[in-house]
Amino acid sequence: MKDMHSLLQHQFSELTKLARKFNCFYLTGLNKGICKPFIVGGHQVGLIRPDVMKHLQRFPEVFIVTGKFVELNPAFRGYKERTSKVADVLQTLRKENEICALKGWRDECFEVSTPLYHESLLEMDRSAICLFGIRNYGVSVNGYLTHPTKGLCIWLQQRSLTKQTWPGKWDCFVSGGLAVGYGILETAIKEAAEEASVVGELVKKLIPSGCVSFFFESERGLFPNTEYVYDLELPFDFIPQNADGEVETFELLTAEECIQRALSPQFKTTSAPVLLDFLIRKGYINPENEPHYRHIVELLHVPLQSIYNSPCTDITTNGDGK
Amino acid sequence: MKDMHSLLQHQFSELTKLARKFNCFYLTGLNKGICKPFIVGGHQVGLIRPDVMKHLQRFPEVFIVTGKFVELNPAFRGYKERTSKVADVLQTLRKENEICALKGWRDECFEVSTPLYHESLLEMDRSAICLFGIRNYGVSVNGYLTHPTKGLCIWLQQRSLTKQTWPGKWDCFVSGGLAVGYGILETAIKEAAEEASVVGELVKKLIPSGCVSFFFESERGLFPNTEYVYDLELPFDFIPQNADGEVETFELLTAEECIQRALSPQFKTTSAPVLLDFLIRKGYINPENEPHYRHIVELLHVPLQSIYNSPCTDITTNGDGK
């Protein structure tokens, strides 16, 4: 399978290659079978790589590592106890300074919940989510306008050079992770104000437009990400002003320039799905100009729900996992 | 797994139940393992149910039925020979009048192609596609307008009472299958003219807006469908006029009325994905009013590409299939 993939890779369009890049774990890593399901309260909430497993095995009173899965000790009952036990381990590992992802400690907690009903199980620092392959939720805003001569134009931001992840890379207009205690629209409104000074009447024009899901892997860890997408048509005279120091600069690009930017190594790989989805929904990327159109649309919506909730997973883990 | 599903079914929102209904094969049938991959030219192009297999077994010189798969005789070389051999079998079965799907013979051929590179393998009558579980492609147009007081309004069509499939049911504004020899945008333009008299300057406003994929099953067969979606903002004074006799009537509905219509038994189940996708992209269905928003978005883009191109399939079939 791998040989066929590499053989055919050169036949893919540039956009397809990009869609395969931000799904590198979905397309190759997932089927290698070297990651183990991470079980909390009887639910698979993540996947753990061997390099992380090696560290967790040192805490057998917290993480039960079997041949088939890693389980958070089921003796821990409730959100608070689970959160505190995991936090203790993470703080120990953080002090040892050996795990790349934990060097970017955020002091901002993300929630871990059950796959289908979003029952809260525990929370952990944002930097650790990728170590456990936990589903990660964020919001992104496409800020755009229709220029009389240039057509569809899109505001992009360059991330601050001091950001912990992807410093200096080009990114969507506005985006942010869903932190504990914040709603989805609420996060979009908060981030639009902080990152680009979109406030007042303007922020009321945010239109929820779907979500994209993909499964990326980097040295830091696994990223089964879902981004809730909002579109925002901006006035011609609006110039975004950053208010929280997390943005280096903003730039207004034509749709074609946006594609070239997204294809360049200067673009944050995990933000490309939002941009491609936007350009598809606006008709700029379409079946007439993109030979692998439906393949790309499929790669913008990979079945994370099914991956973490499959009958296979149930059979493998529930028997001895509870 | 099944018990859990039925137990939890009542907790789903009405829209989630609808999304699960048009994916009934994806969510339950697929994992039962009673359908066999259908192989043509070394590629899996479909899935065949036991009730169809029973008929195909009577033609061993055309269909090789093994324990693991059904293969079109690999001795047939090229598009024409494959097409003619399959057509002979279908004509025989059609005369016997025992297969429900073939009673709706269309005299319109759909193409069967390889999963990734769309290399043409053969064509067969549209009515037979669902017997072999072959991927089915169509176009759909969302005809809409933004009413000053009623907000988003959508034109729906009622299918003619004499249509071979889903007679009298409510459907999207305009839609049609991709027949052999027609392009995607070309089909959208042709169908918009025939079904609703959208022509001239108006048809130039068609905006390609993505595609939806789902996997439905009915008594007739299997429907792994992908619909290329176009949006068309219509003038207030435009009244659609049917030109080909395939439409009973048109009606302009508010977004809320559209949802109620889609949830009713009077709506064509396999057209609901296009409508839900439209209402999500327009922000009418959003994360604040739909608790299973991301689950629904996932069910509007199920991974048909992966299902018919999985390493599992390769391992199972290629060994003795070629």
Side-chain angles (χ1 to χ4, degrees), chain A residues 25 30 35-39 42-48 112-116 129-137 214-216 222-225 303-314 317, chain B residues 1 4 298:
Chain A
F25 188 75
L30 189 59
C35 296
K36 291 182 183 174
F38 178 45
I39 313 292
H43 300 274
Q44 183 187 357
V45 297
L47 273 174
I48 299 182
V112 182
S113 55
T114 61
L116 206 48
I129 291 286
C130 64
L131 296 178
F132 296 90
I134 284 161
R135 286 188 72 177
N136 185 19
Y137 301 97
F214 54 97
F215 207 152
F216 178 68
L222 301 177
F223 300 84
N225 287 16
L304 297 179
Q305 183 77 42
S306 312
I307 292 171
Y308 280 8
N309 197 31
S310 71
C312 277
T313 310
D314 287 351
T317 61
Chain B
M1 200 59 187
M4 192 190 82
E298 183 163 319

Side-chain angles (χ1 to χ4, degrees), chain B residues 5 11 14 20 22 49 59 67 71 84 212 230 252 267 270-271 281 295:
Chain B
H5 273 154
Q11 295 188 29
E14 292 304 308
R20 294 177 71 88
F22 56 67
R49 292 199 306 208
F59 306 91
E71 185 176 26
S84 129
V212 293
Y230 292 79
L252 184 65
F267 202 85
T270 52
S271 291
R281 288 187 290 104
H295 186 44

Side-chain angles (χ1 to χ4, degrees), chain A residues 19 34 49 64 114 191 211 233 302:
Chain A
I34 57 168
R49 291 201 306 206
I64 297 159
T114 61
E191 295 290 341
C211 56
E233 186 163 11
V302 308

Side-chain angles (χ1 to χ4, degrees), chain B residues 41-279:
Chain B
H43 300 273
Q44 184 187 357
V45 297
L47 273 174
I48 298 182
R49 292 199 306 208
D51 59 324
V52 177
M53 225 140 20
K54 183 183 75 185
H55 293 287
L56 300 184
Q57 270 168 330
R58 292 164 41 214
F59 306 91
E61 69 288 2
V62 179
F63 297 102
I64 298 159
V65 181
T66 77
K68 291 187 171 172
F69 57 87
V70 179
E71 185 176 26
L72 184 63
N73 191 337
F76 304 154
R77 295 289 168 193
Y79 193 91
K80 279 192 175 171
E81 188 178 7
R82 294 189 190 110
T83 298
S84 129
K85 297 287 185 181
V86 170
D88 289 347
V89 170
L90 292 176
Q91 287 293 1
T92 303
L93 292 171
R94 187 187 168 198
K95 278 177 202 140
E96 294 172 2
N97 210 25
E98 276 187 25
I99 298 179
C100 167
L102 297 181
K103 292 178 189 170
W105 194 267
R106 303 286 277 264
D107 283 324
E108 179 188 1
C109 275
F110 272 27
E111 194 172 82
V112 182
S113 55
T114 60
L116 207 48
Y117 295 102
H118 324 324
E119 181 201 334
S120 300
L121 294 167
L122 76 156
E123 62 184 63
M124 64 171 78
D125 192 78
R126 187 172 171 178
S127 63
I129 290 287
C130 64
L131 296 178
F132 295 90
I134 285 161
R135 285 188 71 177
N136 185 18
Y137 301 96
V139 300
S140 287
V141 179
N142 296 297
Y144 74 101
L145 50 86
T146 305
H147 190 276
T149 56
K150 294 178 181 174
L152 182 64
C153 289
I154 299 152
W155 280 102
L156 295 182
Q157 70 157 266
Q158 185 185 19
R159 296 162 68 87
S160 157
L161 300 173
T162 60
K163 269 216 157 187
Q164 275 149 329
T165 59
W166 308 91
K169 297 287 183 188
W170 285 90
D171 200 343
C172 296
F173 175 55
V174 160
S175 55
L178 267 192
V180 170
Y182 289 90
I184 299 169
L185 176 60
E186 188 183 12
T187 301
I189 292 170
K190 181 174 81 77
E191 295 290 342
E194 290 175 3
E195 293 195 348
S197 303
V198 171
V199 291
E201 286 305 304
L202 196 49
V203 79
K204 292 182 187 164
K205 292 187 176 175
L206 280 173
I207 296 176
S209 308
C211 56
V212 293
S213 292
F214 54 96
F215 206 153
F216 177 68
E217 178 177 17
S218 77
E219 189 203 7
R220 277 198 294 134
L222 301 176
F223 301 84
N225 286 16
T226 295
E227 287 286 320
Y228 293 94
V229 171
Y230 292 79
D231 288 354
L232 179 63
E233 186 163 12
L234 292 164
F236 283 24
D237 59 358
F238 174 82
I239 306 286
Q241 304 283 344
N242 179 244
D244 65 1
E246 298 203 358
V247 176
E248 197 64 28
T249 186
F250 287 97
E251 190 178 340
L252 184 65
L253 284 83
T254 65
E256 183 51 37
E257 288 166 343
C258 257
I259 287 180
Q260 293 313 319
R261 189 69 54 92
L263 289 171
S264 82
Q266 276 68 53
F267 202 85
K268 178 175 176 263
T269 308
T270 52
S271 291
V274 171
L275 192 57
L276 294 193
D277 171 68
F278 179 74
L279 293 169

Side-chain angles (χ1 to χ4, degrees), chain A residues 4-216:
Chain A
M4 192 190 80
H5 273 154
S6 56
L7 193 73
L8 300 178
Q9 180 72 10
H10 73 280
Q11 295 187 30
F12 287 120
S13 68
E14 292 304 308
L15 292 177
T16 312
K17 284 181 196 168
L18 179 58
R20 296 176 70 87
K21 184 177 162 192
F22 57 67
N23 275 303
C24 55
F25 188 75
Y26 176 69
L27 291 168
T28 62
L30 189 59
N31 292 320
K32 282 186 195 153
I34 57 168
C35 296
K36 291 182 183 174
F38 178 45
I39 313 292
V40 178
H43 300 274
Q44 183 187 357
V45 297
L47 273 174
I48 299 182
R49 291 201 306 206
D51 59 324
V52 177
M53 225 141 18
K54 184 182 75 185
H55 293 287
L56 300 184
Q57 270 168 332
R58 293 164 40 212
F59 307 90
E61 70 287 3
V62 180
F63 296 102
I64 297 159
V65 181
T66 77
K68 290 186 171 172
F69 57 86
V70 179
E71 186 177 24
L72 184 64
N73 192 338
F76 304 152
R77 295 289 169 195
Y79 193 89
K80 279 193 177 172
E81 189 179 5
R82 292 189 192 111
T83 298
S84 131
K85 296 288 186 183
V86 170
D88 289 347
V89 170
L90 292 176
Q91 287 294 1
T92 304
L93 291 172
R94 188 188 168 196
K95 278 177 202 142
E96 295 173 1
N97 210 26
E98 275 187 25
I99 298 180
C100 166
L102 297 181
K103 292 177 189 170
W105 194 267
R106 303 286 277 262
D107 282 325
E108 180 188 1
C109 275
F110 272 28
E111 194 172 81
V112 182
S113 55
T114 61
L116 206 48
Y117 294 104
H118 324 323
E119 182 201 333
S120 300
L121 295 167
L122 75 155
E123 62 185 62
M124 64 171 79
D125 193 77
R126 186 173 172 179
S127 63
I129 291 286
C130 64
L131 296 178
F132 296 90
I134 284 161
R135 286 188 72 177
N136 185 19
Y137 301 97
V139 299
S140 288
V141 179
N142 297 298
Y144 73 101
L145 50 87
T146 306
H147 189 276
T149 56
K150 294 178 180 173
L152 182 62
C153 289
I154 299 152
W155 280 102
L156 295 184
Q157 70 156 266
Q158 186 186 17
R159 296 163 69 86
S160 157
L161 301 173
T162 60
K163 270 216 156 187
Q164 275 149 327
T165 58
W166 307 91
K169 297 288 183 187
W170 285 90
D171 200 344
C172 297
F173 175 55
V174 160
S175 55
L178 268 192
V180 170
Y182 290 90
I184 299 169
L185 177 59
E186 189 183 9
T187 301
I189 292 169
K190 182 173 80 75
E191 295 290 341
E194 291 175 3
E195 292 195 348
S197 303
V198 171
V199 291
E201 286 305 304
L202 196 50
V203 79
K204 292 182 188 164
K205 293 187 176 174
L206 280 172
I207 295 176
S209 308
C211 56
V212 293
S213 293
F214 54 97
F215 207 152
F216 178 68

